[in-house]
């Protein structure tokens, strides 16, 4: 089992370069190689030099075209033609923003731009284990604001649920900790919560396990941080912090899933956090990949910077299999579902499930109110 940990500093350096490049390319369509001082000659030379030294053979044959069209239509026709049953979905915070949960890195609305009130040394410190040991309060304050149970799944979540109902989903890999996949009904065996979940928690000192209800109770009663019942340790929800290992299930599943993947769909992620981001490179070379996102992402990863492949290829001349859909994930999923022939089913499921959740919440609130009244009446009689 690998012990890959989050390594965001290196990745972020690469991503900031990447963001700049894609923004410029979208604005004026010009090559920015000269502007950035990186000539294509030097990259090509370096790539050939390293390939030679490492004994990597360049493949000069024209690659076989996998998709008829590099867009949603191309992906849909591929799925239909090949009767694909092993689709992997990879998701990030963008699939939950329409539920009212902010993502991390979007300018203005992203969580990392809105943490001033916590006085952190830097925004990501809120998810760093070393800072948490020093001061766990900001994390729990934020957890209270973003606590699962307050939000409803989005069209994207129900799209993935339908993919599973139609026996087309091999696995859903999510970086999200909001548990909305579970609420939407995606079964545990089809779900890999790569960055953990609020579902359970542990004492950081003696490892005693705690339920979500126990933690929620403490956090919402302002007992922050929650302290272990057996020792003075802090109880932390099992979400993966920077500096922590990813769950065992992640490491186990990726070993067998990605080599059999028939189509990869990536939604709502900036693909900047490792090791999750480089999962896109683990599918076979002839596996089509679709990115549904507000911005292009993942088109340069790791070795792709040196021309060794890796990363989504939709902007490359010799692309054979990658497509993107730019815009809101919900709209992208509706488009995909419409073209697969189950758009109405998706809209219906979304409506029906939201009505069910609303009804349940109303009943829950009623029960609480009545319980409160009974308590109040008892108090009154005592008085
Ligand atoms: P990011 O905030 O880095 O990226 C979200 C991506 O989704 C961005 O590219 C947005 O443009 C896009 N986006 C937002 N809303 C969208 C919408 N409605 N439709 C389409 N696209 C949308 O979030 P992640 O990639 O998930 O780790 O971040 C990865 C990890 O970094 C998180 O799991 C988190 C964070 O540090 C932990 O907290 C452990
Ligand atoms: Zn303990």
């Amino acid at each position: 089992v690998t012990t890959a940990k989050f390594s965001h500093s290196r990745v972020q350096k690469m991503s900031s370069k990447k963001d700049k490049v894609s923004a410029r390319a979208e604005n004026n369509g010009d090559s920015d190689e000269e502007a950035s001082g990186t000539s294509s000659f030097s990259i090509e030379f370096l790539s050939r030099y390293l390939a030679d030294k490492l004994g990597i053979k360049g493949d000069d044959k024209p690659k076989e075209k996998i998709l008829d069209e590099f867009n949603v239509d191309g992906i849909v026709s591929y799925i239909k033609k090949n009767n694909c049953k092993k689709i992997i979905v990879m998701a990030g915070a963008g699939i939950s923003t329409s539920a009212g949960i902010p993502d991390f890195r979007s300018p203005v609305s992203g969580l990392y731009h809105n943490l001033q009130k916590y006085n952190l040394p830097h925004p990501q410190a809120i998810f760093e284990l070393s800072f948490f040991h020093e001061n766990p309060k900001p994390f729990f304050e934020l957890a209270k604001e973003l606590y699962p149970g307050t939000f409803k799944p989005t069209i994207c979540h129900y799209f993935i649920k339908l993919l599973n109902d139609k026996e087309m989903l091999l696995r859903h890999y999510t970086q999200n900790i909001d548990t909305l996949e579970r609420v939407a009904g995606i079964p545990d065996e089809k779900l890999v919560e790569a960055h953990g979940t609020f579902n359970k928690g542990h004492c950081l000192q003696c490892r005693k396990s705690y339920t979500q209800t126990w933690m929620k109770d403490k956090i919402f009663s302002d007992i922050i941080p929650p302290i272990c019942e057996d020792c003075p340790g802090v109880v932390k929800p099992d979400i993966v912090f920077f500096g922590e290992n990813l769950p065992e299930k992640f490491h186990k599943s990726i070993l067998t899933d990605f080599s059999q993947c028939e189509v990869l769909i990536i939604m709502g992620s900036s693909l900047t956090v490792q090791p999750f981001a480089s999962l896109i490179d683990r599918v076979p070379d002839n596996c089509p990949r679709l990115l549904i996102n507000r911005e292009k992402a993942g088109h340069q990863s790791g070795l792709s910077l040196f021309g060794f492949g890796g990363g989504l290829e939709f902007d490359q001349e010799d692309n054979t299999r990658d497509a993107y859909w730019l815009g809101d994930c919900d709209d992208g999923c509706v488009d995909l579902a419409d073209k697969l022939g189950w758009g109405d089913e998706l809209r219906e499921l979304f409506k029906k499930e939201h009505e069910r959740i609303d009804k349940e919440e109303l009943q829950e609130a009623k029960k609480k109110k009545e319980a409160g009244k009974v308590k109040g009446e008892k108090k009154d009689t005592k008085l």
Side-chain angles (χ1 to χ4, degrees), residues 279-306:
L279 292 180
I280 59 171
D281 294 328
R282 294 183 79 110
V283 297
D285 285 347
N286 59 357
C287 171
R289 301 177 292 190
L290 170 68
L291 172 78
I292 301 180
N293 209 39
R294 273 188 192 151
E295 56 175 2
K296 287 187 195 173
H299 47 309
Q300 277 188 332
S301 80
L303 286 175
S304 69
L305 290 172
F306 296 103

Side-chain angles (χ1 to χ4, degrees), residues 93 97 104-105 112 175 195 240 269-270 293-295 327 329:
T97 51
F104 296 90
R105 295 177 182 80
Y112 289 149
Q175 298 169 91
H195 295 171
V240 181
S269 177
S270 61
N293 209 39
R294 273 188 192 151
E295 56 175 2
C329 306

Side-chain angles (χ1 to χ4, degrees), residues 188-213:
D188 185 67
E189 72 269 16
K190 287 299 173 90
L191 188 58
V192 175
E193 291 161 319
H195 295 171
T197 164
F198 272 98
N199 242 12
K200 266 193 291 163
H202 281 91
C203 165
L204 287 181
Q205 225 160 292
C206 73
R207 303 301 303 160
K208 180 175 171 156
S209 176
Y210 287 90
T211 63
Q212 144 134 257
T213 323

Side-chain angles (χ1 to χ4, degrees), residues 71-124:
N71 52 28
V72 169
D73 297 82
I75 293 283
V76 168
S77 102
Y78 183 91
I79 292 175
K80 285 183 180 166
K81 211 166 24 184
N82 296 283
N83 190 22
C84 295
K85 297 275 176 213
K86 292 181 176 173
I87 298 177
I88 293 182
V89 179
M90 287 170 59
I95 71 163
S96 293
T97 51
S98 69
I101 305 170
D103 69 5
F104 296 90
R105 295 177 182 80
S106 281
V108 187
S109 61
L111 193 63
Y112 289 149
H113 300 273
N114 292 287
L115 295 172
Q116 292 84 352
K117 61 180 165 186
Y118 299 117
N119 268 329
L120 302 165
H122 52 272
Q124 283 184 16

